[in-house]
């Protein structure tokens, strides 16, 4: 769990993903489209990391999105933030994007 928190706090935007997850791909594409370059941590072969995400309250565990070191949510949560216009503002406030 400490490893997840440490990784999540090292960059303004962090996404924990699996390479086989289509929603993970969509969330990464959304961040890139908004101008962010998130740190991507693939947990395909790290069951301990996925378990740690679940213990932190990430449900579903993948994708798990952190902005400014704080857990924002899964794909559904991120898409909701994008639709209501607050995702970009969160990324700006965390300095993941500058405009």
């Amino acid at each position: 769990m400490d490893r997840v928190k440490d990784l999540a706090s090292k960059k303004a935007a962090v996404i924990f993903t699996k390479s086989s997850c289509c929603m993970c791909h969509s969330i990464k594409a959304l961040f890139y489209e908004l101008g962010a370059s998130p740190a991507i941590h693939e947990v395909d072969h790290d069951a301990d990391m996925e378990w740690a995400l679940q213990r932190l309250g990430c449900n579903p565990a993948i994708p798990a999105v952190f902005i400014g070191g704080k857990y924002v949510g899964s794909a559904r949560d991120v898409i909701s933030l994008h639709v209501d216009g607050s995702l970009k503002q969160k990324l700006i406030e965390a300095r993941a994007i500058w405009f």
Side-chain angles (χ1 to χ4, degrees):
M1 203 157 52
D2 290 334
R3 185 170 159 222
V4 170
K5 289 180 182 178
D6 182 51
L7 290 171
S9 66
K10 287 191 176 190
K11 205 157 179 206
V14 178
I15 306 172
F16 292 89
T17 71
K18 282 189 174 179
S19 61
S20 61
C21 172
C22 64
M23 289 309 294
C24 294
H25 174 75
S26 297
I27 296 301
K28 290 188 287 187
L30 173 61
F31 273 61
Y32 295 136
E33 183 179 310
L34 291 172
S37 295
I40 305 295
H41 297 286
E42 299 281 346
V43 299
D44 290 29
H45 304 292
D46 194 342
D48 291 336
M49 180 78 74
E50 192 169 352
W51 179 246
L53 287 164
Q54 288 175 339
R55 286 189 306 210
L56 278 175
C58 304
N59 187 20
I62 302 298
V65 178
F66 291 79
I67 298 175
K70 296 180 180 154
Y71 177 63
V72 173
S74 64
R76 181 183 319 152
D77 304 308
V78 171
I79 291 168
S80 293
L81 291 171
H82 180 58
V83 168
D84 77 14
S86 61
L87 178 60
K88 188 171 186 177
Q89 187 58 41
K90 285 184 180 295
L91 291 168
I92 290 169
E93 289 170 1
R95 298 183 185 252
I97 56 177
W98 292 275
F99 51 86

